[in-house]
Amino acid sequence: MYKEEILNTPILTSERTLEIVLDAIKTIVPFELAVVLSLEKGNVLKVRWAQGPLYTPKLRDFTINLQERPDLQKVLDVGKVQLFSDDLPDNLLEQDTYEGVIDLPDGHSCMVAPLHVEGKTIGLLTLDHRTCNMFTPQVVRVTEGLSRIIALALAQSMATDTLLSEREALVYERNTLLSDFPSEKDGLIGQSPAWKEVVEKIRMVAPADAPVLIEGETGTGKEQVARAIHALSGRAHRPFVALNCSALVTALAESELFGHERGAFTGAVSRRRGRFELANNGSLFLDEIGDMPIDIQPKLLRAIQEKSFERVGGEITIHADVRIICATHKDLESLVQQGQFREDLYYRLNVFPIHLPPLRERGDDVFLLADFFLQKLARRFGQERFYLTDAALQYLKSYSWPGNVRELQNTLERAAILCQGSTIDGEHLRFSQRSRRSRSAKKRTVSSHGEIEPLDEAMRRHILRALEATGGKIYGPEGAAALLGLKPTTLQSKMKKLGIQREELAKG
């Protein structure tokens, strides 16, 4: 029973820990504003927690440079609780701690207490009250003792933040590693001249730490190339963080990239680290960069150039050393000319472009890729191996593969299910294309009568049909994304753009 009680005990956040400690202290030491500051790198005091009737949002992440406040530096050096009063001859404080931030009346009560743990200064506690002489010598002596408890709470807070940061990065990396994607080596399969040129460029740019722009049609393996660049770089043992820009909602794009502070906007119930912070010392892969909202592009450019940014709702500048790898299937130069993509950002990203050839231009690479995918499928399905008939091999060679490597992988997975054995014939591969040709024939019949519908409407109907055929399922080998030869996230962004809701299926 004792073990169950421990397991069910809620884990306190660093902020909640400080809040509880200060609430307890308030019953002994009267204050209208209590602020706990931590001593950070660069000899800077940073507000960790503040509470009381005099609290103002201006205190959130407020910092004090001790080089500009030698009086506070002396307080920390002396290591004893100090009162701020014009009447005291040995007063160490030359000005109010939060002058210019909080307007307090003359003669108000102010007390500061250095925070130590095992002889090391880790921060400062400040207590303020608008009434004069609230902090008596007895209160000062009590605060001396209580400051040790607050110092322990602050140390826990700082340690918790460090652990959470490391845990968040590790969890993100672990989830990435456990996801179903080919390894860096697997993603570079191919012997065609066009593909060998790509591999050579990867080897050249990987150790250079320069931004890379990967261009190519949907499904050509842009993310696999990005992972290979990361794996061959000096950042290989650091995080690889991926973000699909097509899935970004404009209102939350900045938070997704740079993170946000608690209370920065409705629903921001806790501090959250953005992708830049998670990728510190590693690589950040921005997929479909052409879909990055135009409003956020100046901030992205600044973060890349200066390697610094602020969280949404925060005032502290955060530094992050991140290598940027981008990918797009769009013509960014055209987007620049149309005013949909910033020219300065384009030139900053386009330092080393790599163009991925479509599968139809890679010759016999289709057989090498098919063999690799079938070996993986055999292990998954418990087969010794899958075999391709001559008709299947001919189909692999003759088909144009508009969905490229991703379509090939999905087609082979579907064929492995349909063959109900170990031999895959041409008919098993043509299964998904028959319905596609049937729909194309219907479109051509309509067109011959002069009734050509808008492209977005045709795409909308096409996606709806795929969703109907899969029962509204998007993910998985039998999902709509696989049927259309798209990434699930790409399909979701197209659905959003075309205003497709899953509820429409129920109505249909």
Side-chain angles (χ1 to χ4, degrees), residues 221-278:
K222 293 187 286 292
E223 183 166 347
Q224 282 69 33
V225 169
R227 291 184 181 279
I229 293 171
H230 174 74
L232 295 172
S233 73
R235 300 172 181 260
H237 300 294
R238 298 292 184 173
F240 177 92
V241 178
L243 175 64
N244 190 325
C245 300
S246 296
L248 285 178
V249 179
T250 303
L252 298 177
E254 186 176 357
S255 170
E256 194 69 36
L257 281 169
F258 309 121
H260 62 253
E261 297 290 348
R262 186 181 67 166
F265 49 83
T266 303
V269 295
S270 63
R271 173 184 290 176
R272 182 176 184 272
R273 294 168 177 82
R275 302 302 174 95
F276 260 86
E277 205 166 344
L278 287 171

Side-chain angles (χ1 to χ4, degrees), residues 181-200:
F181 63 85
S183 69
E184 288 76 19
K185 182 180 177 182
D186 299 332
L188 302 182
I189 290 173
Q191 293 296 325
S192 64
W195 192 247
K196 284 184 176 181
E197 183 179 344
V198 169
V199 173
E200 183 59 30

